[in-house]
Amino acid sequence: MRKRKGGEKMSQLAESKGIILFSRNYKEKDKLVKIFTESAGKMMFYVKGIHRQNQPLAPALLPFTEAVYIGTFKNEGLSFIKSVKNIHPFRKIQEDIFLSGYGTYLLNLVDAAIEDHQYDPTLFQFTQLALQKMDEEDDPQIITNIFEVQLLQRFGIAPIWTHCVVCGKKRGKFDYSSKFGGILCEEHWSMDLRRYHADPRAVYFVRLFSSISYDKINAINLKEETKASIRQLIDQLYEEYVGIHLKSKKFIDQMKSWEHVLKRPVTNEKSTENKKKE
């Protein structure tokens, strides 16, 4: 970005890899598209005539799409897309209502976690990898849980998961304590009667999720009751510390009640030495 004489800003043509966060129609033929770019953070783009037939930009502006976007990137106001290249749709997420539910929630969390124009290539790559794993049909619930736990940092929350905050113990049964800002081992549960009273199995996996890397995991097999306990624990954390209520989160919570009507395709289980079992 350069400045003209007199302080007037002048935009430059730029390009960046980006992931579509969401879009909405604007006027009759145009669209506003929010893109999480690797080089400039989240930006809102104005795209004219997107509803015309054979619009070359259209495939790159679909939900759950990654591409390299070329255009005028502005620090303030709307930016503009001139052209695109290297379009990569997350096809399975686009085609599966269950996967798209989780994917939408994940992208909504990104939008809530950082300000527009905030440079965060680490979060971009983390988001990219989460969508890739989901598109490869790894368990979307677990992928989402890992994302939620590690995203807490972006909301300014840093619970201590590695050890008991009182004695430093690293193994055994633990529970989460808001009072101490981290986990308590079973020997010190009496120090906080208002601790979460979470399922110790859920605490174990949330501790694992807080530091695990997507590229080192191919599958995690958990019982449904354990997944429910993990969901409850993460919900408690988000309700207490973050306080956002997204429609996409409500949607995935409700999916359990009607997933038997629209069954997800059965996927082949992967077995690797990195596989985590209960």
Side-chain angles (χ1 to χ4, degrees), residues 88-93 130-137:
H88 172 67
F90 295 101
R91 190 73 67 192
K92 289 179 181 176
I93 302 178
L131 292 173
Q132 178 183 318
K133 285 292 184 182
M134 207 174 283
D135 201 53
E136 292 170 357
E137 298 186 276

Side-chain angles (χ1 to χ4, degrees), residues 93-131:
I93 302 178
Q94 291 176 341
E95 296 172 351
D96 187 313
I97 188 172
F98 296 95
L99 292 179
S100 65
Y102 284 105
T104 298
Y105 173 54
L106 185 149
L107 295 176
N108 287 170
L109 280 176
V110 170
D111 196 26
I114 59 172
E115 298 294 329
D116 288 356
H117 307 289
Q118 182 176 331
Y119 176 65
D120 197 336
T122 301
L123 180 57
F124 178 88
Q125 291 161 15
F126 186 52
T127 305
Q128 181 186 46
L129 193 51
L131 292 173

Side-chain angles (χ1 to χ4, degrees), residues 75-252:
N75 287 333
E76 298 176 3
L78 298 175
S79 297
F80 301 89
I81 299 174
K82 304 281 188 184
S83 61
V84 295
K85 62 182 181 181
N86 302 338
I87 302 171
H88 172 67
F90 295 101
R91 190 73 67 192
K92 289 179 181 176
I93 302 178
Q94 291 176 341
E95 296 172 351
D96 187 313
I97 188 172
F98 296 95
L99 292 179
S100 65
Y102 284 105
T104 298
Y105 173 54
L106 185 149
L107 295 176
N108 287 170
L109 280 176
V110 170
D111 196 26
I114 59 172
E115 298 294 329
D116 288 356
H117 307 289
Q118 182 176 331
Y119 176 65
D120 197 336
T122 301
L123 180 57
F124 178 88
Q125 291 161 15
F126 186 52
T127 305
Q128 181 186 46
L129 193 51
L131 292 173
Q132 178 183 318
K133 285 292 184 182
M134 207 174 283
D135 201 53
E136 292 170 357
E137 298 186 276
D138 283 342
D139 191 320
Q141 291 176 257
I142 302 305
I143 297 301
T144 300
N145 291 159
I146 293 171
F147 196 87
E148 291 172 301
V149 174
Q150 296 193 23
L151 197 67
L152 283 171
Q153 308 174 45
R154 296 306 195 285
F155 291 107
I157 312 302
I160 297 171
W161 298 111
T162 54
H163 58 272
C164 173
V165 294
V166 175
C167 68
K169 188 176 181 180
K170 296 182 178 181
R171 294 185 179 181
K173 291 183 178 181
F174 295 89
D175 196 4
Y176 185 78
S177 166
S178 302
K179 177 180 177 181
F180 290 94
I183 55 172
L184 292 175
C185 69
E186 191 173 13
E187 294 174 10
H188 294 104
W189 285 354
S190 61
M191 295 182 68
D192 184 5
L193 299 180
R194 301 183 67 180
R195 57 190 170 82
Y196 276 23
H197 297 277
D199 184 337
R201 292 174 301 172
V203 179
Y204 169 82
F205 282 105
V206 169
R207 292 180 67 200
L208 175 67
F209 294 167
S210 70
S211 60
I212 206 163
S213 173
Y214 281 135
D215 60 8
K216 293 180 180 178
I217 290 184
N218 290 301
I220 300 175
N221 287 341
L222 297 176
K223 296 177 181 177
E224 287 302 316
E225 51 266 38
T226 302
K227 289 183 179 181
S229 296
I230 293 169
R231 178 73 271 155
Q232 183 179 8
L233 173 54
I234 295 175
D235 283 350
Q236 281 182 271
L237 289 164
Y238 266 75
E239 185 63 32
E240 178 173 3
Y241 291 114
V242 182
I244 58 174
H245 300 92
L246 301 171
K247 290 182 179 179
S248 52
K249 172 60 167 57
K250 186 177 180 180
F251 177 81
I252 63 173

Side-chain angles (χ1 to χ4, degrees), residues 5-36:
K5 291 181 181 180
E8 182 185 352
K9 290 183 179 179
M10 181 176 70
S11 300
Q12 287 183 321
L13 197 66
E15 72 175 63
S16 175
K17 188 179 292 184
I19 297 169
I20 299 296
L21 290 178
F22 67 84
S23 65
R24 63 173 180 264
N25 291 331
Y26 183 73
K27 297 183 178 178
E28 187 176 343
K29 299 179 180 179
D30 308 331
K31 193 178 280 286
L32 294 175
V33 184
K34 197 163 200 178
I35 302 176
F36 185 17

